[in-house]
C-alpha cells in the first residue's frame, strides 16, 4: 500500500512499526460550534483510511482528542480561547458547550457512517499528563518560562519546518495583520505549552500547575494523548491540511524533543473543502452543517459519496449543484443495485470475486484513490457475473466505502414491492385487470367484437392499453 506522506513529500510504501498492527491518531474537533461539512470531509477521508487498513487485515487502534480547551482563535497562540468564545455566544458554561457540541459531532459522524475512534479523549481529562510532559521539556532545556507562560523553544531544534521548505519570513507567526506579536517569545516560531497569563479574556477552566494556575496550549494535547495511548512510535497521524502548520509542526517538535527520537512515520493530510468564495469556515458565509443539508432534503450519505468521488489530496469545491449531481448519480447507483437484487441470484463465483476485489484494492493501495475505487464498483455492476457475485462484491467494498448500498437498495425494493402489492389489492385495479384478462380471453376465442368493446370501454374511462410481448400493460391518463 502506497500512501502520500507529508513528511517525505512523496508516496511511500506503508510499513507499520509492528507487523499487522497500525496505530493511528486523528486531531479531533474543537467543540465550540457544530462541525461544518469541510471538517467532516477530513473525518470521512480519515475514516476511509482506517476502514481500508482494517479491510487489508491490519489490527488498527485509532485515537482522537476532543479539543475542549486551549485552541485560540488564531492557531498561533493569539486571540481568545475558542471554547470561551462559544460559551459567551450562547451564554452557557464552557463545559456545557463542550458536551453539547461533542454530542452533536458524533451524531453528525453517525449520519455519515464515520466510525467513532477506539479511544476518544477530551483534552480537559489529561491535564496531569500535559503537566508531566511540559515539566520534562523544561528539564531537557526545550521549554522556558516568560511572562508567566511556558513556551517551547524552537531554536533548540535542528529542523523546525518539517513539512515544507517554508522560509521564516513567509511564516510570520503571531505577527499577522491586526494581531500583535507575543513579546514573551524568544523566537517568533516558539509556541505556548502552558498559559497562566493572557492579555485576552481569561479562561473559565483553569488548573493548578508548577507554574501557577492556568491552562494548556492546544498543541501539547495531541502529542500527549497520542503518546499516552499509542506509545512512543506512531504509525499514522491524520488531520486537515491547515493543521500541518503550525499545529502538527509543533506536535512533532515537542514530541520528538520529549522522546529523543523520531515519533510519527506517516502524516496523512486531507485537503480542504472550499466553496466558490474560498475555504469553508465556521465564521464566514453560510454555515454548512449536516443538519442544514438534511433540512434541504439531502441524504447525508450522498455527501459522503460526493467526497469519495474526489481524491483527498485535492481541494474539493462544494456547491448545491455539485451535490444535486451527486444525488442523481447516487440514486441511479441504487436503482442499478435494485435491478441486480431482482435478478436470479446464482452462485458466488470466487475467482470473479477475487478479480474485482483486486481492482478495488489496487485503487486504494495507490494513495487511497477513492474515486477509482468507486469506478471499480461501477465496473462490478456491469460485469459479466452472477447477481450473487455482484451483491457479494458490493457488500464487501461497502465495508470501506460505508454507503449502506445494499441495505438502501433492499429498502427501495421493499417499497417497490409493497407499492405493487397495494396496487394489486386496490378494487379499481382489480376490476381493470379482470377486464384486461377477459379481453385477452376474448381475443383467444376470436371474439374480437368483445375484445374491442372492452378496450373502448376502458379508453372511455381514461385507461390506455398497450399490447406487449409479455401481455397487455395499462396506464391511466
Ligand atoms: P477544528 O474543529 O477547527 O479543530 O477542525 C477539525 C478538523 O477539520 C481539522 O482536522 C481541520 O484541519 C479540518 N478542517 C478545517 N477546515 C476544513 C475544510 N474547509 N475542509 C476540510 N477540512 C477542514
Ligand atoms: Zn491535533
Amino acid at each position: 500500500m502506497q500512501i502520500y506522506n507529508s513528511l517525505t513529500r512523496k508516496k511511500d510504501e506503508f510499513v507499520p512499526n509492528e507487523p499487522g498492527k497500525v496505530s493511528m491518531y486523528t486531531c479531533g474537533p474543537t467543540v465550540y460550534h457544530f462541525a461544518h461539512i469541510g471538517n467532516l470531509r477530513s473525518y470521512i477521508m480519515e475514516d476511509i483510511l482506517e476502514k481500508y487498513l482494517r479491510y487489508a487485515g491490519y489490527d488498527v487502534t485509532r485515537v482522537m482528542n476532543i479539543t475542549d480547551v486551549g485552541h485560540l482563535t488564531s492557531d498561533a497562540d493569539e486571540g481568545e480561547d475558542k471554547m470561551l468564545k462559544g460559551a459567551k455566544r450562547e451564554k452557557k458554561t464552557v463545559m456545557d458547550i463542550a458536551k453539547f457540541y461533542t454530542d452533536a459531532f458524533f451524531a453528525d459522524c453517525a449520519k455519515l457512517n464515520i466510525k467513532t475512534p477506539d479511544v476518544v479523549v477530551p483534552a480537559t481529562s489529561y491535564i496531569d499528563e500535559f503537566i508531566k510532559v511540559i515539566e520534562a521539556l523544561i528539564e531537557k532545556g526545550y521549554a522556558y518560562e516568560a511572562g508567566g507562560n511556558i513556551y517551547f523553544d524552537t531554536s533548540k531544534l535542528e529542523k523546525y519546518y518539517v513539512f515544507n521548505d517554508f522560509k521564516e519570513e513567509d511564516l510570520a507567526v503571531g505577527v499577522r495583520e491586526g494581531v500583535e506579536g507575543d513579546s514573551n517569545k524568544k523566537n517568533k516560531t516558539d509556541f505556548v505549552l502552558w498559559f497562566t497569563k493572557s492579555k485576552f479574556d481569561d479562561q473559565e477552566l483553569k488548573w493548578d500547575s508548577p507554574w501557577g494556575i492556568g491552562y494548556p496550549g492546544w498543541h501539547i494535547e495531541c502529542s500527549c494523548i497520542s503518546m499516552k495511548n499509542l506509545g512512543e512510535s506512531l504509525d499514522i497521524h491524520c488531520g486537515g491540511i491547515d493543521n500541518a502548520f503550525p499545529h502538527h509542526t509543533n506536535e512533532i517538535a515537542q514530541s520528538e524533543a520529549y522522546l529523543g527520537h523520531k515519533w510519527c512515520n506517516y502524516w496523512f493530510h486531507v485537503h480542504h473543502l472550499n466553496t466558490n468564495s474560498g475555504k469553508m469556515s465556521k465564521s464566514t458565509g453560510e454555515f454548512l452543517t449536516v443538519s442544514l443539508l438534511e433540512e434541504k432534503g439531502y441524504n447525508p450519505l450522498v455527501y459522503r459519496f460526493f467526497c469519495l468521488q474526489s481524491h483527498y489530496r485535492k481541494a474539493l469545491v462544494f456547491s448545491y449543484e455539485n451535490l444535486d449531481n451527486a444525488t442523481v448519480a447516487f440514486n441511479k447507483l441504487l436503482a442499478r443495485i435494485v435491478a441486480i437484487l431482482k435478478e436470479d441470484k446464482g452462485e458466488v463465483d470466487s475467482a470473479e470475486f477475487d478479480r474485482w476485489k483486486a481492482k478495488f484494492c489496487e485503487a486504494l493501495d495507490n494513495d487511497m484513490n477513492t474515486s477509482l475505487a468507486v469506478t471499480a464498483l461501477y465496473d462490478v455492476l456491469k460485469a459479466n457475473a452472477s447477481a450473487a457475485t455482484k451483491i457479494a462484491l458490493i457488500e464487501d467494498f461497502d465495508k470501506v466505502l460505508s454507503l449502506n448500498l445494499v441495505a438502501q437498495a433492499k429498502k427501495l425494493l421493499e417499497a417497490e414491492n409493497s407499492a405493487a402489492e397495494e396496487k394489486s389489492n386496490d378494487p379499481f385495479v382489480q376490476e381493470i385487470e379482470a377486464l384486461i384478462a377477459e379481453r385477452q380471453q376474448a381475443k383467444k376465442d376470436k371474439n374480437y367484437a368483445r375484445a374491442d368493446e372492452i378496450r373502448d370501454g376502458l379508453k372511455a374511462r381514461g385507461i390506455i392499453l398497450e399490447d406487449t410481448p409479455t401481455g397487455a400493460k395499462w396506464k391511466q391518463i
Side-chain angles (χ1 to χ4, degrees):
M1 178 181 178
Q2 299 255 317
I3 187 168
Y4 184 87
N5 186 355
S6 305
L7 260 192
T8 57
R9 272 161 260 154
K10 61 179 177 57
K11 287 185 202 173
D12 285 340
E13 185 63 28
F14 177 64
V15 185
N17 287 304
E18 233 185 287
K21 287 194 167 178
V22 178
S23 55
M24 191 170 168
Y25 184 83
T26 300
C27 288
T30 308
V31 285
Y32 71 113
H33 217 320
F34 292 106
H36 59 58
I37 58 171
N39 301 125
L40 290 160
R41 179 194 189 196
S42 288
Y43 295 111
I44 288 171
M45 303 319 282
E46 293 162 3
D47 179 67
I48 290 277
L49 172 63
E50 175 188 347
K51 286 181 178 156
Y52 185 58
L53 289 165
R54 290 185 193 275
Y55 178 88
Y58 290 108
D59 175 8
V60 182
T61 308
R62 180 153 169 225
V63 176
M64 185 171 88
N65 67 309
I66 298 288
T67 299
D68 54 2
V69 68
H71 193 173
L72 306 190
T73 42
S74 147
D75 289 354
D77 306 331
E78 284 287 326
E80 206 171 3
D81 186 288
K82 288 188 177 185
M83 294 301 299
L84 189 61
K85 206 172 155 186
K88 280 187 189 166
R89 183 187 66 231
E90 298 185 19
K91 300 186 178 55
K92 291 190 183 143
T93 66
V94 164
M95 273 346 257
D96 284 345
I97 291 286
K99 162 107 184 63
F100 180 82
Y101 288 113
T102 301
D103 292 348
F105 172 73
F106 286 114
D108 284 347
C109 286
K111 287 177 189 163
L112 294 166
N113 274 350
I114 298 170
K115 177 185 167 292
T116 302
D118 305 285
V119 181
V120 176
V121 181
T124 47
S125 69
Y126 259 49
I127 302 296
D128 290 348
E129 200 59 34
F130 306 155
I131 291 174
K132 184 188 93 187
V133 173
I134 297 169
E135 278 183 311
L137 288 171
I138 297 173
E139 179 101 344
K140 286 169 184 257
Y142 281 105
Y144 59 92
E145 186 169 354
N149 298 333
I150 307 296
Y151 294 85
F152 186 93
D153 187 348
T154 52
S155 69
K156 293 277 155 60
L157 300 172
E158 260 175 52
K159 190 171 184 223
Y160 172 65
Y161 297 113
V162 283
F163 290 123
N164 287 294
D165 297 319
F166 285 137
K167 293 199 180 57
E168 284 206 25
E169 56 271 27
D170 295 339
L171 291 165
V173 176
V175 277
R176 296 174 191 203
E177 221 177 314
V179 181
E180 260 175 69
D182 179 345
S183 57
N184 291 324
K185 291 185 183 180
K186 287 192 201 162
N187 315 287
K188 64 186 169 198
T189 48
D190 291 355
F191 53 93
V192 177
L193 297 167
W194 187 268
F195 288 98
T196 67
K197 289 208 171 50
S198 165
K199 56 184 181 247
F200 298 93
D201 262 5
D202 231 351
Q203 259 294 344
E204 226 176 80
L205 296 175
K206 290 196 211 174
W207 296 264
D208 203 6
S209 82
W211 320 286
I213 293 174
Y215 56 98
W218 170 39
H219 315 297
I220 193 70
E221 67 182 70
C222 288
S223 289
C224 293
I225 292 169
S226 173
M227 290 191 287
K228 178 81 178 163
N229 290 282
L230 296 167
E232 291 194 357
S233 293
L234 178 64
D235 289 314
I236 308 178
H237 195 307
C238 314
I241 190 70
D242 60 318
N243 280 167
F245 185 84
H247 184 50
H248 293 161
T249 305
N250 292 349
E251 279 189 46
I252 293 174
Q254 66 206 358
S255 301
E256 298 193 350
Y258 174 73
L259 294 167
H261 60 73
K262 184 170 179 182
W263 171 48
C264 176
N265 290 332
Y266 301 88
W267 287 83
F268 180 87
H269 286 123
V270 180
H271 286 240
H272 279 151
L273 181 76
N274 296 325
T275 59
N276 288 326
S277 52
K279 184 195 154 191
M280 188 167 293
S281 87
K282 296 180 192 182
S283 47
T284 55
E286 189 180 26
F287 189 176
L288 288 158
T289 59
V290 172
S291 315
L292 183 73
L293 295 187
E294 280 185 308
E295 272 165 34
K296 290 183 190 264
Y298 293 100
N299 173 355
L301 290 180
V302 168
Y303 177 63
R304 183 173 175 109
F305 180 64
F306 169 69
C307 290
L308 299 189
Q309 284 174 312
S310 74
H311 196 262
Y312 76 92
R313 274 195 302 117
K314 282 202 183 113
L316 176 60
V317 177
F318 175 84
S319 68
Y320 285 110
E321 196 189 341
N322 291 345
L323 198 60
D324 287 339
N325 292 338
T327 303
V328 170
F330 192 68
N331 289 340
K332 273 193 189 156
L333 175 60
L334 292 181
R336 289 173 72 178
I337 300 172
V338 169
I340 296 171
L341 287 171
K342 287 181 189 165
E343 285 174 25
D344 256 357
K345 266 185 93 177
E347 299 284 313
V348 176
D349 177 337
S350 60
E352 199 64 8
F353 182 93
D354 292 347
R355 196 164 75 81
W356 290 105
K357 187 180 168 111
K359 272 202 110 184
F360 179 73
C361 293
E362 192 188 325
L364 295 174
D365 281 341
N366 182 8
D367 191 26
M368 299 302 297
N369 195 328
T370 50
S371 75
L372 271 184
V374 171
T375 304
L377 174 75
Y378 277 105
D379 288 345
V380 164
L381 300 181
K382 51 180 193 246
N384 185 15
S386 67
T389 309
K390 290 183 186 178
I391 295 297
L393 280 161
I394 298 165
E395 282 186 319
D396 187 64
F397 294 1
D398 216 22
K399 288 179 193 159
V400 180
L401 305 178
S402 292
L403 295 167
N404 295 358
L405 293 171
V406 174
Q408 288 190 88
K410 279 186 177 160
K411 260 198 182 160
L412 287 175
L413 184 58
E414 264 167 36
E416 209 178 275
N417 288 341
S418 65
E421 199 184 308
E422 211 170 278
K423 212 171 152 196
S424 67
N425 289 334
D426 182 334
F428 172 74
V429 173
Q430 281 172 349
E431 189 204 336
I432 304 292
E433 305 260 316
L435 283 167
I436 290 174
E438 193 193 333
R439 176 174 168 262
Q440 214 58 18
Q441 190 55 47
K443 271 170 57 178
K444 250 193 200 164
D445 300 343
K446 302 203 171 18
N447 184 354
Y448 298 113
R450 176 64 185 146
D452 287 350
E453 187 189 12
I454 293 173
R455 197 193 51 210
D456 294 346
L458 287 171
K459 196 173 171 191
R461 294 167 69 184
I463 307 290
I464 302 295
L465 295 187
E466 190 198 343
D467 287 313
T468 75
T470 53
K473 298 240 170 352
W474 63 275
K475 67 178 178 203
Q476 198 169 15
I477 48 167

mmCIF file of all heavy atoms in Angstrom, residues 31-35 66 68 83 86 89-90 92-108 291:
data_model
loop_
_atom_site.group_PDB
_atom_site.id
_atom_site.type_symbol
_atom_site.label_atom_id
_atom_site.label_comp_id
_atom_site.label_asym_id
_atom_site.label_seq_id
_atom_site.Cartn_x
_atom_site.Cartn_y
_atom_site.Cartn_z
ATOM 1 N N VAL A 31 -14.657 21.775 20.014
ATOM 2 C CA VAL A 31 -16.109 21.660 20.213
ATOM 3 C C VAL A 31 -16.755 22.962 20.729
ATOM 4 O O VAL A 31 -17.395 22.983 21.769
ATOM 5 C CB VAL A 31 -16.450 20.451 21.114
ATOM 6 C CG1 VAL A 31 -16.305 19.162 20.340
ATOM 7 C CG2 VAL A 31 -15.556 20.418 22.359
ATOM 8 N N TYR A 32 -16.569 24.024 19.945
ATOM 9 C CA TYR A 32 -17.174 25.314 20.323
ATOM 10 C C TYR A 32 -18.338 25.640 19.410
ATOM 11 O O TYR A 32 -19.008 26.656 19.566
ATOM 12 C CB TYR A 32 -16.128 26.434 20.288
ATOM 13 C CG TYR A 32 -15.663 26.839 18.912
ATOM 14 C CD1 TYR A 32 -15.951 28.103 18.398
ATOM 15 C CD2 TYR A 32 -14.916 25.974 18.133
ATOM 16 C CE1 TYR A 32 -15.524 28.483 17.145
ATOM 17 C CE2 TYR A 32 -14.488 26.338 16.872
ATOM 18 C CZ TYR A 32 -14.788 27.582 16.382
ATOM 19 O OH TYR A 32 -14.364 27.943 15.131
ATOM 20 N N HIS A 33 -18.557 24.783 18.417
ATOM 21 C CA HIS A 33 -19.620 25.013 17.455
ATOM 22 C C HIS A 33 -19.853 23.697 16.721
ATOM 23 O O HIS A 33 -19.082 22.746 16.884
ATOM 24 C CB HIS A 33 -19.192 26.102 16.469
ATOM 25 C CG HIS A 33 -20.326 27.003 16.082
ATOM 26 N ND1 HIS A 33 -21.597 26.517 15.844
ATOM 27 C CD2 HIS A 33 -20.397 28.360 15.891
ATOM 28 C CE1 HIS A 33 -22.373 27.544 15.532
ATOM 29 N NE2 HIS A 33 -21.690 28.662 15.570
ATOM 30 N N PHE A 34 -20.878 23.664 15.864
ATOM 31 C CA PHE A 34 -21.083 22.469 15.050
ATOM 32 C C PHE A 34 -19.895 22.285 14.117
ATOM 33 O O PHE A 34 -19.253 23.263 13.741
ATOM 34 C CB PHE A 34 -22.351 22.612 14.193
ATOM 35 C CG PHE A 34 -23.616 22.615 14.995
ATOM 36 C CD1 PHE A 34 -24.337 23.785 15.193
ATOM 37 C CD2 PHE A 34 -24.085 21.435 15.558
ATOM 38 C CE1 PHE A 34 -25.503 23.792 15.947
ATOM 39 C CE2 PHE A 34 -25.257 21.433 16.315
ATOM 40 C CZ PHE A 34 -25.957 22.610 16.507
ATOM 41 N N ALA A 35 -19.633 21.038 13.734
ATOM 42 C CA ALA A 35 -18.637 20.802 12.691
ATOM 43 C C ALA A 35 -19.288 21.204 11.373
ATOM 44 O O ALA A 35 -20.470 20.955 11.161
ATOM 45 C CB ALA A 35 -18.269 19.329 12.657
ATOM 46 N N ILE A 66 -10.541 15.426 21.813
ATOM 47 C CA ILE A 66 -11.595 16.431 21.671
ATOM 48 C C ILE A 66 -10.994 17.711 22.243
ATOM 49 O O ILE A 66 -10.612 17.744 23.416
ATOM 50 C CB ILE A 66 -12.859 16.047 22.492
ATOM 51 C CG1 ILE A 66 -13.478 14.735 21.999
ATOM 52 C CG2 ILE A 66 -13.883 17.181 22.501
ATOM 53 C CD1 ILE A 66 -14.188 14.805 20.670
ATOM 54 N N ASP A 68 -11.269 20.730 23.960
ATOM 55 C CA ASP A 68 -12.229 21.495 24.756
ATOM 56 C C ASP A 68 -11.526 22.559 25.597
ATOM 57 O O ASP A 68 -12.136 23.165 26.462
ATOM 58 C CB ASP A 68 -13.111 20.567 25.625
ATOM 59 C CG ASP A 68 -12.296 19.628 26.484
ATOM 60 O OD1 ASP A 68 -11.050 19.703 26.441
ATOM 61 O OD2 ASP A 68 -12.888 18.815 27.220
ATOM 62 N N MET A 83 -13.296 28.027 22.881
ATOM 63 C CA MET A 83 -14.354 27.495 23.750
ATOM 64 C C MET A 83 -15.043 28.618 24.520
ATOM 65 O O MET A 83 -16.256 28.633 24.675
ATOM 66 C CB MET A 83 -13.779 26.467 24.737
ATOM 67 C CG MET A 83 -13.260 25.212 24.089
ATOM 68 S SD MET A 83 -14.518 24.346 23.135
ATOM 69 C CE MET A 83 -15.715 23.977 24.397
ATOM 70 N N GLY A 86 -17.315 30.473 22.323
ATOM 71 C CA GLY A 86 -18.570 29.732 22.120
ATOM 72 C C GLY A 86 -19.492 29.882 23.321
ATOM 73 O O GLY A 86 -20.710 30.067 23.179
ATOM 74 N N ARG A 89 -21.008 33.314 23.355
ATOM 75 C CA ARG A 89 -22.011 33.431 22.282
ATOM 76 C C ARG A 89 -23.344 32.839 22.723
ATOM 77 O O ARG A 89 -24.403 33.365 22.455
ATOM 78 C CB ARG A 89 -21.477 32.697 21.050
ATOM 79 C CG ARG A 89 -22.367 32.770 19.816
ATOM 80 C CD ARG A 89 -21.839 31.865 18.695
ATOM 81 N NE ARG A 89 -21.914 30.477 19.075
ATOM 82 C CZ ARG A 89 -20.911 29.611 19.009
ATOM 83 N NH1 ARG A 89 -19.735 29.988 18.557
ATOM 84 N NH2 ARG A 89 -21.066 28.359 19.396
ATOM 85 N N GLU A 90 -23.273 31.726 23.461
ATOM 86 C CA GLU A 90 -24.511 31.027 23.826
ATOM 87 C C GLU A 90 -24.909 31.211 25.283
ATOM 88 O O GLU A 90 -25.844 30.564 25.746
ATOM 89 C CB GLU A 90 -24.351 29.535 23.469
ATOM 90 C CG GLU A 90 -24.146 29.394 21.975
ATOM 91 C CD GLU A 90 -24.098 27.983 21.468
ATOM 92 O OE1 GLU A 90 -24.568 27.067 22.172
ATOM 93 O OE2 GLU A 90 -23.576 27.801 20.365
ATOM 94 N N LYS A 92 -23.587 30.162 27.986
ATOM 95 C CA LYS A 92 -23.550 28.883 28.711
ATOM 96 C C LYS A 92 -22.148 28.713 29.277
ATOM 97 O O LYS A 92 -21.243 29.499 28.959
ATOM 98 C CB LYS A 92 -23.828 27.733 27.744
ATOM 99 C CG LYS A 92 -25.248 27.685 27.233
ATOM 100 C CD LYS A 92 -25.487 26.382 26.498
ATOM 101 C CE LYS A 92 -26.881 26.363 25.920
ATOM 102 N NZ LYS A 92 -26.947 25.723 24.623
ATOM 103 N N THR A 93 -21.951 27.642 30.062
ATOM 104 C CA THR A 93 -20.603 27.410 30.559
ATOM 105 C C THR A 93 -19.802 26.686 29.480
ATOM 106 O O THR A 93 -20.365 26.055 28.579
ATOM 107 C CB THR A 93 -20.609 26.511 31.821
ATOM 108 O OG1 THR A 93 -21.063 25.212 31.422
ATOM 109 C CG2 THR A 93 -21.496 27.060 32.914
ATOM 110 N N VAL A 94 -18.471 26.769 29.615
ATOM 111 C CA VAL A 94 -17.595 26.100 28.652
ATOM 112 C C VAL A 94 -17.887 24.602 28.633
ATOM 113 O O VAL A 94 -17.952 23.975 27.565
ATOM 114 C CB VAL A 94 -16.110 26.389 29.004
ATOM 115 C CG1 VAL A 94 -15.186 25.425 28.281
ATOM 116 C CG2 VAL A 94 -15.756 27.822 28.636
ATOM 117 N N MET A 95 -18.085 23.997 29.806
ATOM 118 C CA MET A 95 -18.323 22.557 29.862
ATOM 119 C C MET A 95 -19.651 22.182 29.190
ATOM 120 O O MET A 95 -19.752 21.150 28.535
ATOM 121 C CB MET A 95 -18.287 22.036 31.310
ATOM 122 C CG MET A 95 -16.900 21.665 31.816
ATOM 123 S SD MET A 95 -15.604 21.515 30.594
ATOM 124 C CE MET A 95 -15.409 19.782 30.408
ATOM 125 N N ASP A 96 -20.666 23.043 29.332
ATOM 126 C CA ASP A 96 -21.951 22.777 28.653
ATOM 127 C C ASP A 96 -21.781 22.832 27.144
ATOM 128 O O ASP A 96 -22.318 22.004 26.402
ATOM 129 C CB ASP A 96 -23.014 23.811 29.076
ATOM 130 C CG ASP A 96 -23.552 23.520 30.468
ATOM 131 O OD1 ASP A 96 -23.322 22.397 30.948
ATOM 132 O OD2 ASP A 96 -24.177 24.425 31.060
ATOM 133 N N ILE A 97 -21.013 23.832 26.714
ATOM 134 C CA ILE A 97 -20.751 23.983 25.273
ATOM 135 C C ILE A 97 -20.024 22.738 24.767
ATOM 136 O O ILE A 97 -20.360 22.163 23.728
ATOM 137 C CB ILE A 97 -19.878 25.252 25.043
ATOM 138 C CG1 ILE A 97 -20.680 26.498 25.342
ATOM 139 C CG2 ILE A 97 -19.293 25.299 23.640
ATOM 140 C CD1 ILE A 97 -21.705 26.820 24.288
ATOM 141 N N ALA A 98 -19.003 22.329 25.539
ATOM 142 C CA ALA A 98 -18.191 21.170 25.115
ATOM 143 C C ALA A 98 -19.056 19.921 24.988
ATOM 144 O O ALA A 98 -18.987 19.196 24.000
ATOM 145 C CB ALA A 98 -17.061 20.935 26.124
ATOM 146 N N LYS A 99 -19.900 19.690 25.975
ATOM 147 C CA LYS A 99 -20.745 18.486 25.968
ATOM 148 C C LYS A 99 -21.704 18.529 24.776
ATOM 149 O O LYS A 99 -21.836 17.561 24.024
ATOM 150 C CB LYS A 99 -21.498 18.414 27.308
ATOM 151 C CG LYS A 99 -22.711 17.515 27.346
ATOM 152 C CD LYS A 99 -22.427 16.253 28.150
ATOM 153 C CE LYS A 99 -23.557 15.240 28.159
ATOM 154 N NZ LYS A 99 -23.908 14.661 26.888
ATOM 155 N N PHE A 100 -22.351 19.688 24.607
ATOM 156 C CA PHE A 100 -23.354 19.801 23.535
ATOM 157 C C PHE A 100 -22.728 19.552 22.162
ATOM 158 O O PHE A 100 -23.227 18.769 21.359
ATOM 159 C CB PHE A 100 -24.012 21.190 23.593
ATOM 160 C CG PHE A 100 -25.044 21.378 22.524
ATOM 161 C CD1 PHE A 100 -26.331 20.879 22.691
ATOM 162 C CD2 PHE A 100 -24.725 22.020 21.328
ATOM 163 C CE1 PHE A 100 -27.284 21.013 21.689
ATOM 164 C CE2 PHE A 100 -25.675 22.157 20.315
ATOM 165 C CZ PHE A 100 -26.959 21.649 20.499
ATOM 166 N N TYR A 101 -21.585 20.209 21.903
ATOM 167 C CA TYR A 101 -21.004 20.093 20.549
ATOM 168 C C TYR A 101 -20.226 18.792 20.340
ATOM 169 O O TYR A 101 -20.041 18.376 19.196
ATOM 170 C CB TYR A 101 -20.181 21.343 20.204
ATOM 171 C CG TYR A 101 -21.088 22.531 19.959
ATOM 172 C CD1 TYR A 101 -21.109 23.624 20.818
ATOM 173 C CD2 TYR A 101 -21.972 22.530 18.882
ATOM 174 C CE1 TYR A 101 -21.970 24.685 20.609
ATOM 175 C CE2 TYR A 101 -22.849 23.583 18.668
ATOM 176 C CZ TYR A 101 -22.843 24.652 19.527
ATOM 177 O OH TYR A 101 -23.706 25.697 19.317
ATOM 178 N N THR A 102 -19.804 18.169 21.431
ATOM 179 C CA THR A 102 -19.184 16.847 21.268
ATOM 180 C C THR A 102 -20.268 15.862 20.841
ATOM 181 O O THR A 102 -20.086 15.081 19.889
ATOM 182 C CB THR A 102 -18.526 16.369 22.598
ATOM 183 O OG1 THR A 102 -17.550 17.335 22.984
ATOM 184 C CG2 THR A 102 -17.861 15.022 22.443
ATOM 185 N N ASP A 103 -21.411 15.916 21.517
ATOM 186 C CA ASP A 103 -22.522 15.018 21.148
ATOM 187 C C ASP A 103 -22.979 15.294 19.714
ATOM 188 O O ASP A 103 -23.239 14.357 18.945
ATOM 189 C CB ASP A 103 -23.713 15.201 22.104
ATOM 190 C CG ASP A 103 -23.397 14.698 23.509
ATOM 191 O OD1 ASP A 103 -22.355 14.017 23.677
ATOM 192 O OD2 ASP A 103 -24.170 14.999 24.445
ATOM 193 N N ALA A 104 -23.063 16.587 19.371
ATOM 194 C CA ALA A 104 -23.509 16.947 18.015
ATOM 195 C C ALA A 104 -22.518 16.415 16.977
ATOM 196 O O ALA A 104 -22.912 15.920 15.913
ATOM 197 C CB ALA A 104 -23.629 18.463 17.892
ATOM 198 N N PHE A 105 -21.229 16.484 17.309
ATOM 199 C CA PHE A 105 -20.201 15.992 16.373
ATOM 200 C C PHE A 105 -20.392 14.495 16.112
ATOM 201 O O PHE A 105 -20.414 14.049 14.965
ATOM 202 C CB PHE A 105 -18.802 16.271 16.961
ATOM 203 C CG PHE A 105 -17.686 15.648 16.170
ATOM 204 C CD1 PHE A 105 -17.326 16.175 14.928
ATOM 205 C CD2 PHE A 105 -16.997 14.542 16.649
ATOM 206 C CE1 PHE A 105 -16.301 15.598 14.180
ATOM 207 C CE2 PHE A 105 -15.975 13.959 15.915
ATOM 208 C CZ PHE A 105 -15.626 14.488 14.673
ATOM 209 N N PHE A 106 -20.561 13.725 17.181
ATOM 210 C CA PHE A 106 -20.695 12.272 16.977
ATOM 211 C C PHE A 106 -22.033 11.917 16.311
ATOM 212 O O PHE A 106 -22.109 10.930 15.581
ATOM 213 C CB PHE A 106 -20.464 11.506 18.282
ATOM 214 C CG PHE A 106 -19.008 11.491 18.646
ATOM 215 C CD1 PHE A 106 -18.540 12.135 19.781
ATOM 216 C CD2 PHE A 106 -18.090 10.861 17.814
ATOM 217 C CE1 PHE A 106 -17.182 12.148 20.087
ATOM 218 C CE2 PHE A 106 -16.733 10.880 18.108
ATOM 219 C CZ PHE A 106 -16.275 11.521 19.250
ATOM 220 N N ALA A 107 -23.047 12.748 16.536
ATOM 221 C CA ALA A 107 -24.330 12.497 15.847
ATOM 222 C C ALA A 107 -24.146 12.718 14.341
ATOM 223 O O ALA A 107 -24.623 11.926 13.519
ATOM 224 C CB ALA A 107 -25.408 13.413 16.409
ATOM 225 N N ASP A 108 -23.408 13.773 13.973
ATOM 226 C CA ASP A 108 -23.134 14.022 12.546
ATOM 227 C C ASP A 108 -22.309 12.889 11.958
ATOM 228 O O ASP A 108 -22.554 12.433 10.843
ATOM 229 C CB ASP A 108 -22.372 15.344 12.364
ATOM 230 C CG ASP A 108 -23.267 16.560 12.527
ATOM 231 O OD1 ASP A 108 -24.503 16.381 12.529
ATOM 232 O OD2 ASP A 108 -22.743 17.673 12.659
ATOM 233 N N SER A 291 -26.924 18.912 9.388
ATOM 234 C CA SER A 291 -28.351 19.170 9.641
ATOM 235 C C SER A 291 -28.939 20.086 8.579
ATOM 236 O O SER A 291 -30.068 19.900 8.146
ATOM 237 C CB SER A 291 -28.572 19.825 10.997
ATOM 238 O OG SER A 291 -27.813 19.178 11.950
#
